[in-house]
Amino acid sequence: MEKNGEKYYITDVDLDASSIYCHHDLMGELLIPTHSHEKDQFLYTEGGIVYVTTELRNYFLPARHFIWIPAGVKHSIHPSSEDVIMRNLYFPKEKGDIAFYKSEGIYPVNDILLQMIMFTNRWNGDLRKGSRNYTIAKAIKAILPEICHNILPLSLPYPKDDRLIKIIEYIDSHIDEYLLFSELSAKFGFTERSLHRLFQKDMGMSFIQYFTVRRMLRAIELLLEQRLPINEVAQAVGYTSTPTFSNTFNKVLGQRPSDYLNKLEILRKV
């Protein structure tokens, strides 16, 4: 939806401050530039991977998950394909909103929430107070803190130090290898202690934390886009042991790769 060349997320979302704004559509573009809303955004996607970039982090939004973006948070959206379907609900801020609604994060979508989202499939535009659709959408917002207890670590911070930027680029291009921290440190002229301190200071996490999450994000990409068998995905992200890969995936995502794939099959039948 466009008005004079502008997109709905610029012209329409905040036009009525009291409404819940709903938008379902194909992405139709490979970049939604940086913008913000006066309303909180619930974003669920189908058909591919979506990267959501805020000022502090780069989020990875796979199938069967949603991201909550609080009002005022500047963000851009980068889908893996123009054919990705976005399902958006934009909620007005309320005085009684609890802490859950004030923090950005990615959460899994369970069966109940999925059915509620799909019920809104044919809605688009402003949902006015007092309407049946407004009440249903409000129920979706209300249920989130009850079923979403843990933010998933499907995001990584941006490095700011030029030295660390080069190291991160190297890690990303060698994701299929098992990188030893000692060898990485030596390669870039650091002692292990000094590189550990740089990771903690600049990224707020250790090398092993960063490398583990980055490998799991790549694994999800391979599972979603290339439909590789789990043992091949494990090898592609540097694991020689499929059980070790499965255990790590479970620690990060809260489910094993096989369970994740089974849920994707269920999603495709909805």
Side-chain angles (χ1 to χ4, degrees):
M1 182 186 302
E2 297 187 20
K3 290 185 179 179
N4 299 322
E6 293 189 4
K7 306 293 184 178
Y8 78 92
Y9 47 85
I10 301 297
T11 59
D12 295 355
V13 169
D14 295 321
L15 202 57
D16 182 344
S18 66
S19 75
I20 296 173
Y21 191 86
C22 179
H23 184 81
H24 299 283
D25 203 357
L26 289 173
M27 287 290 300
E29 52 192 325
L30 291 176
L31 170 65
I32 292 181
T34 301
H35 64 287
S36 63
H37 311 286
E38 296 175 11
K39 296 178 179 178
D40 299 325
Q41 181 177 1
F42 171 98
L43 170 59
Y44 175 81
T45 63
E46 301 166 9
I49 299 162
V50 171
Y51 301 91
V52 179
T53 302
T54 66
E55 293 179 302
L56 298 177
R57 304 186 79 84
N58 187 27
Y59 290 91
F60 180 98
L61 182 60
R64 196 81 189 210
H65 294 77
F66 76 90
I67 185 169
W68 182 266
I69 306 172
V73 172
K74 293 181 179 180
H75 59 283
S76 57
I77 300 174
H78 316 253
S80 59
S81 165
E82 293 180 1
D83 297 327
V84 171
I85 296 174
M86 287 199 309
R87 303 194 183 280
N88 292 287
L89 287 169
Y90 300 87
F91 297 95
K93 291 173 61 178
E94 298 179 274
K95 290 183 179 179
D97 278 344
I98 61 176
F100 175 92
Y101 302 115
K102 300 174 184 179
S103 300
E104 58 193 63
I106 288 182
Y107 302 87
V109 170
N110 65 14
D111 293 338
I112 294 174
L113 182 55
L114 178 59
Q115 293 299 327
M116 294 178 76
I117 295 169
M118 298 309 293
F119 190 81
T120 72
N121 186 41
R122 296 187 179 182
W123 301 354
N124 263 310
D126 287 305
L127 311 179
R128 312 286 182 181
K129 273 188 176 181
S131 70
R132 173 175 171 272
N133 290 353
Y134 181 96
T135 302
I136 294 171
K138 190 76 178 289
I140 292 176
K141 177 182 176 180
I143 199 176
L144 297 181
E146 304 300 320
I147 62 176
C148 303
H149 303 295
N150 297 305
I151 294 179
L152 295 179
L154 297 179
S155 67
L156 288 171
Y158 286 114
K160 296 173 283 295
D161 190 291
D162 289 339
R163 298 168 298 171
L164 200 53
I165 290 173
K166 293 179 180 179
I167 294 174
I168 294 302
E169 290 175 348
Y170 180 85
I171 291 172
D172 286 348
S173 63
H174 293 77
I175 202 73
D176 60 336
E177 303 174 14
Y178 184 77
L179 299 177
L180 292 174
F181 188 62
S182 57
E183 295 177 357
L184 188 69
S185 302
K187 180 176 180 63
F188 286 91
F190 288 90
T191 64
E192 291 184 52
R193 186 176 182 182
S194 62
L195 184 56
H196 174 76
R197 285 179 174 175
L198 182 59
F199 258 93
Q200 290 288 2
K201 179 181 178 181
D202 194 273
M203 307 280 279
M205 58 173 51
S206 68
F207 161 76
I208 191 63
Q209 288 173 320
Y210 179 90
F211 191 41
T212 299
V213 173
R214 186 67 192 88
R215 292 164 99 186
M216 293 305 104
L217 296 184
R218 179 58 182 151
I220 295 172
E221 287 180 311
L222 294 172
L223 287 169
L224 285 174
E225 294 187 339
Q226 298 189 21
R227 309 288 191 261
L228 293 179
I230 293 172
N231 64 319
E232 291 185 25
V233 171
Q235 294 172 11
V237 295
Y239 284 84
T240 56
S241 166
T242 301
T244 300
F245 164 72
S246 180
N247 289 338
T248 305
F249 192 97
N250 186 44
K251 287 180 181 178
V252 174
L253 273 296
Q255 56 190 313
R256 298 196 176 276
S258 55
D259 296 329
Y260 187 76
L261 285 174
N262 288 337
K263 288 182 178 179
L264 292 181
E265 289 300 322
I266 293 172
L267 179 61
R268 280 190 276 271
K269 296 175 183 178
V270 172

